[in-house]
Every structure is written in structure tokens, then in C-alpha cells.
């Protein structure tokens, strides 16, 4: 689309206003990918002081802040340069200097330093800075799922890096495998994408407070179905244990057909599912293993010997990791029990980095910006609840019985319940 290309160029022009070197960058969130079709309000339409025509067109006049993530090679060097050129982007923390800023970024929370409510090229933005090593580690190992979770959903890549691109392919494959462990033998495409989109919100402390739209996962998937297909359909077609079961996907315009919710099926063979468990990200897999060690009451010495015997991670060669007896036992657990254990591991992975990153935002962004951010989130939460009640009333008035996608509601409720 021409508009899409113009929008992408407008976002890239924002990057060029930063003299500090940005190796990798993407834009994400509702300011880039609309999550609702809500009408603009007077206050929101004035959010950007002087946006480009492309940004105004894509946002439909709603004026939402645009979120960026910048991947950099040397954290302190980057902040040193950025503090010289854009000191107004920082809160009072800037007076502590680039060393303090870089230490706060790298050693606290998920390794991201956010500067919110910054105007660049007439557009209000929030940008987070992360070291490339931190980013790649989270993508490949899921040690916090903070950035990996964001990249499991559609984003607009503005500046690419080969190492990050490769790590994110691992991340996307891991998201599919984790979702398959949470799904039955047959399911729909929307159920798969809703499960994937919901991963990063399990354990997110923000979902515990009235600051996030509780329909967020459903809104993301419903409004970005075509983009989810672009991300995951090529990967799914190359996986041996999951497939599309709908002839419509062979049609050339299938990706853009948002009315199609194709059926899917996965092979529940314990060997294949055991291999899937073995190929989960390293840090995440380790937490799942320890959860099942406790559940299966395996003695520590025996468990360690079993892990050593199954250790086939050789950095000098490429080898497909194969699940052993333990992995097959995990994969063969009762479905509801497996689902519970996997969700608990996701929650444990996300909860502390999310909480500490949220608290860090108050320090790095300043109290005023933090309050402004929370106030806007509360408004979104109230808008989402109001819209949901309005839709239910409309269905009742028409005398129609609501028939929501049961799995999408299950994901939504699990996000709320697991907080």
C-alpha cells in the first residue's frame, strides 16, 4: 500500500533525528497498528503538535502516541551522545550522567530505558533503548519475555539487523510451540493467534490494575489478523506437527481475507510433542523442567543426571534437539494440568521483570510523565469496558444470543485470573 510505505518513511524520518547510532529499530502498539475502530476525540486529535500527513492518515485522526524500541551496541556511549543532543528527552535522571542512565537501563528490570512523551518531527513518541545483546538473549532464551513478547505480535521494522532477525525467528517458532502446548488437537487460526498474543500479558502487572483494556488481546488479533498471518503462516507451513485444514488458504487473497477463520490441527503424538518441549527457549524450558521435577517428585541427583544426559546443545554444530523420556512425560501430562504448568512458568518469567520495569518507568520518566501515562491507560481501560457493555446491550436489544469465540474468552479470562 502506498499509504503504508509513506507511513513507514515518516517513522524512519523520526529515527534520523537521533544522532546516536541506532542499529535496530521497530515501532509497535496501537499508534502503529489500530486495535479499535473508535472515533477520534477532540483531546486525542491534538496529541501530536504537527504530525506528517501519513501519520495522521494511518491513525485516522486519533492522534495516538507512537512507541519505538531502539537496539544499540553500546549503552553508555549511546546515552552519552543522546544526552548531548536531546537532554530534554530525559527526566531529572539526566543530571546523574550517562553512566548512571546506562546502569539503570542494563541492571534494572528487563534492560530497557524508556523516554516517554517526547516530540520528534511534530509527533509525540515514546522510545525505549535496549542493548542488542539483551534483546537477542530475550528473543532466543525468553529470560524475561519483555521484548520477545512485543515481537511476537505485528511490529513495523524500521531498521533491521541480521542477528536480531535470526533471534526473532527463534522467538516466533517458540511462540507457536508454546501456544500448541496450550491448545487442543483441533482449533482455529484465531485461537492460535489469540493464544500467542496473550503470552506476554500473563503475569504482566499492568493487567492487574484498571490501566489496560481487558479486551486487548481480542482487539489486537481481530484488527491485525492479516499481519499475524504474514508472521506465522510461513513458519506453520514448515512445521511437521501442525497444519491448516481449510481449502481457503490456497486462495491467492487468503491472507487479506479477514472474514476467514481457518481450522487447524496438531499432531498429539507424544514423541513429536516431546521434541516440541525440548525445543522451547533455554531459560523458559529450564523453569518448566523444574516445575515438573517437583510435580513428578524426581530426586535432585537423578534429575541432574537426566538433564546432563539429554544435553545436546553443541554451539559448534547445528543439531535438531530431540526430546527424551522426561520431555515426552511432560508433553503427555493431562491437558489441563499441562496448560496450568505452562501458564505458571510464563507468569513467573514475566512477573518480576514487568513489575520492576514498571517501577523503573516512574524513576526514568519522571513522576509527571508516569501519572500522565497511567491516566491515559485508565481512560483506555474504561473505554474498552464501555464498548464491551455497549456491544452486549446491542446484542440483547436485537434479541440475539451472543456466541463469542470461547477460546478467545478463555485467553482473556486466563490473563485476568493469573495476575
Amino acid at each position: 500500500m502506498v499509504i503504508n510505505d509513506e507511513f513507514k518513511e515518516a517513522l524512519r524520518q523520526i529515527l534520523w533525528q537521533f544522532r546516536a547510532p541506532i542499529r535496530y529499530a521497530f515501532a509497535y502498539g496501537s499508534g502503529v497498528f489500530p486495535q479499535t475502530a473508535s472515533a477520534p476525540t477532540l483531546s486525542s486529535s491534538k496529541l501530536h503538535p504537527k504530525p506528517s500527513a501519513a501519520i495522521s492518515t494511518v491513525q485516522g485522526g486519533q492522534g495516538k502516541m507512537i512507541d519505538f524500541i531502539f537496539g544499540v551496541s553500546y549503552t553508555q556511549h549511546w546515552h552519552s551522545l543522546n544526552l548531548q543532543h536531546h537532554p530534554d528527552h530525559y527526566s531529572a535522571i539526566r543530571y546523574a550522567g550517562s553512566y548512571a542512565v546506562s546502569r539503570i537501563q542494563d541492571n534494572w528490570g528487563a534492560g530497557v530505558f524508556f523516554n516517554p512523551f517526547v516530540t520528534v518531527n511534530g509527533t509525540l513518541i515514546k522510545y525505549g533503548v535496549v542493548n542488542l545483546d539483551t534483546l537477542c538473549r530475550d528473543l532466543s532464551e525468553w529470560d524475561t519475555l519483555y521484548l520477545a513478547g512485543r515481537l511476537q505480535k505485528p511490529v513495523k521494522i524500521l531498521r533491521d539487523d541480521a542477528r536480531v532477525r535470526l533471534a526473532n525467528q527463534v522467538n516466533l517458532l517458540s511462540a507457536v510451540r508454546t501456544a500448541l502446548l496450550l491448545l487442543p488437537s483441533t482449533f482455529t487460526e484465531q485461537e492460535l493467534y489469540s493464544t500467542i498474543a496473550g503470552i506476554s500479558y500473563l503475569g504482566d502487572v499492568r493487567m492487574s490494575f484498571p490501566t489496560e483494556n481487558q479486551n486487548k488481546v481480542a482487539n489486537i488479533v481481530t484488527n491485525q489478523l492479516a499481519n499475524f498471518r504474514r508472521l506465522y503462516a510461513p513458519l506453520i507451513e514448515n512445521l511437521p506437527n501442525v497444519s491448516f485444514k481449510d481449502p481457503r488458504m490456497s486462495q491467492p487473497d487468503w491472507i487479506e481475507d479477514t472474514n476467514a477463520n481457518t481450522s487447524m490441527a496438531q499432531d498429539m503424538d507424544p514423541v513429536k510433542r516431546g521434541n516440541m518441549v525440548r525445543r522451547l527457549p533455554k531459560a523458559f524450558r529450564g523453569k518448566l523442567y523444574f516445575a515438573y521435577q517437583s510435580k513428578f517428585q524426581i530426586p535432585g541427583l537423578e534429575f541432574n543426571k537426566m538433564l546432563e544426559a539429554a544435553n545436546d546443545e553443541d554451539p559448534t554444530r547445528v543439531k535438531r534437539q530431540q526430546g527424551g523420556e522426561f520431555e515426552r512425560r511432560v508433553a503427555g501430562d493431562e491437558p489441563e494440568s499441562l496448560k496450568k504448568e505452562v501458564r505458571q512458568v510464563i507468569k513467573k518469567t514475566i512477573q518480576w521483570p514487568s513489575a520492576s520495569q514498571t517501577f523503573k518507568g516512574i524513576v526514568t520518566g519522571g513522576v509527571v510523565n508516569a501519572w500522565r501515562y497511567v491516566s491515559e491507560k485508565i481512560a483506555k481501560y474504561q473505554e474498552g469496558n464501555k464498548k464491551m457493555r455497549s456491544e452486549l446491550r446491542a446484542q440483547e436489544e436485537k434479541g440475539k444470543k451472543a456466541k463469542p469465540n470461547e477460546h478467545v474468552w478463555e485467553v482473556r479470562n486466563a490473563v485476568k485470573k493469573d495476575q
Side-chain angles (χ1 to χ4, degrees), residues 254-293:
W254 165 72
I255 286 183
E256 300 295 338
D257 183 6
T258 56
N259 292 320
N261 185 18
T262 60
S263 58
M264 302 181 68
Q266 63 168 316
D267 191 339
M268 304 300 282
D269 176 71
V271 174
K272 291 183 178 179
R273 284 175 69 79
N275 291 340
M276 195 162 61
V277 170
R278 181 64 185 86
R279 293 164 189 168
L280 292 174
K282 183 178 179 181
F284 181 80
R285 186 181 70 235
K287 295 184 181 77
L288 185 63
Y289 281 5
F290 281 110
Y292 271 96
Q293 178 201 8

Side-chain angles (χ1 to χ4, degrees), residues 15-142:
L15 296 187
W16 285 113
Q17 304 308 308
F18 292 85
R19 299 183 187 180
I22 300 170
R23 289 277 304 279
Y24 177 81
F26 67 87
Y28 66 98
S30 59
V32 180
F33 298 97
Q35 295 175 10
T36 64
S38 58
T41 62
L42 182 63
S43 59
S44 66
S45 64
K46 292 182 178 180
L47 187 68
H48 301 303
K50 192 176 180 182
S52 69
I55 290 175
S56 296
T57 300
V58 168
Q59 293 196 343
Q62 293 187 45
K64 294 187 176 182
M65 183 167 64
I66 298 178
D67 298 336
F68 293 85
I69 292 292
F70 299 160
V72 305
S73 298
Y74 304 102
T75 306
Q76 184 178 352
H77 176 65
W78 196 91
H79 284 294
S80 176
L81 294 174
N82 202 48
L83 280 165
Q84 293 178 34
H85 300 133
H86 303 292
D88 56 311
H89 289 188
Y90 295 78
S91 67
I93 197 71
R94 66 181 181 271
Y95 297 113
S98 61
Y99 177 80
V101 171
S102 64
R103 294 286 71 77
I104 290 172
Q105 175 184 315
D106 293 333
N107 299 333
W108 196 0
V112 188
F113 189 100
F114 282 105
N115 281 327
F117 300 106
V118 172
T119 300
V120 181
N121 271 15
T123 304
L124 192 70
I125 71 170
K126 177 183 74 176
Y127 64 91
V129 184
V130 62
N131 188 280
L132 283 177
D133 292 337
T134 301
L135 174 59
C136 289
R137 184 172 59 253
D138 193 35
L139 291 174
S140 59
E141 299 185 12
W142 283 16

Side-chain angles (χ1 to χ4, degrees), residues 115-335:
N115 281 327
F117 300 106
V118 172
T119 300
V120 181
N121 271 15
T123 304
L124 192 70
I125 71 170
K126 177 183 74 176
Y127 64 91
V129 184
V130 62
N131 188 280
L132 283 177
D133 292 337
T134 301
L135 174 59
C136 289
R137 184 172 59 253
D138 193 35
L139 291 174
S140 59
E141 299 185 12
W142 283 16
D143 57 346
T144 69
L145 263 171
Y146 191 83
L147 292 172
R150 281 163 171 74
L151 283 163
Q152 288 163 6
K153 296 179 278 290
V155 302
K156 197 170 288 291
I157 306 295
L158 304 172
R159 195 168 293 174
D160 210 353
D161 177 86
R163 185 160 66 106
V164 178
R165 185 167 62 248
L166 178 61
N168 196 40
Q169 287 301 298
V170 174
N171 176 43
L172 297 178
L173 273 171
S174 299
V176 174
R177 288 172 177 145
T178 302
L180 292 177
L181 292 174
L182 296 170
L183 289 166
S185 58
T186 58
F187 48 92
T188 67
E189 186 185 20
Q190 192 166 19
E191 287 172 349
L192 173 66
Y193 301 147
S194 295
T195 303
I196 291 173
I199 288 174
S200 62
Y201 295 114
L202 288 170
D204 189 335
V205 296
R206 296 173 302 171
M207 302 300 290
S208 303
F209 304 102
T211 56
E212 290 288 349
N213 187 339
Q214 297 300 313
N215 298 310
K216 192 167 188 173
V217 172
N219 289 341
I220 291 172
V221 175
T222 301
N223 290 281
Q224 298 302 324
L225 183 58
N227 288 318
F228 272 97
R229 286 172 175 161
R230 293 187 182 95
L231 267 183
Y232 290 103
L235 298 176
I236 292 169
E237 290 172 2
N238 287 299
L239 287 174
N241 59 324
V242 61
S243 59
F244 293 98
K245 295 295 183 182
D246 198 313
R248 282 178 292 184
M249 68 163 293
S250 61
Q251 298 174 359
D253 60 344
W254 165 72
I255 286 183
E256 300 295 338
D257 183 6
T258 56
N259 292 320
N261 185 18
T262 60
S263 58
M264 302 181 68
Q266 63 168 316
D267 191 339
M268 304 300 282
D269 176 71
V271 174
K272 291 183 178 179
R273 284 175 69 79
N275 291 340
M276 195 162 61
V277 170
R278 181 64 185 86
R279 293 164 189 168
L280 292 174
K282 183 178 179 181
F284 181 80
R285 186 181 70 235
K287 295 184 181 77
L288 185 63
Y289 281 5
F290 281 110
Y292 271 96
Q293 178 201 8
S294 176
K295 181 174 182 176
F296 294 154
Q297 297 183 335
I298 301 174
L301 184 61
E302 180 184 343
F303 183 70
N304 291 334
K305 288 181 178 179
M306 182 180 63
L307 291 184
E308 289 176 7
N311 186 8
D312 55 3
E313 295 182 19
D314 186 348
T316 64
R317 61 194 178 99
V318 177
K319 180 183 178 181
R320 292 182 65 83
Q321 297 164 333
Q322 301 296 317
E325 180 182 351
F326 177 71
E327 286 81 9
R328 290 192 290 272
R329 191 178 174 189
V330 170
D333 192 14
E334 196 273 329

Side-chain angles (χ1 to χ4, degrees), residues 364-382:
T364 60
V367 175
V368 174
N369 281 336
W371 176 248
R372 180 180 177 184
Y373 179 77
V374 169
S375 299
E376 292 185 1
K377 286 291 185 180
I378 291 174
K380 286 184 179 180
Y381 173 85
Q382 294 172 339

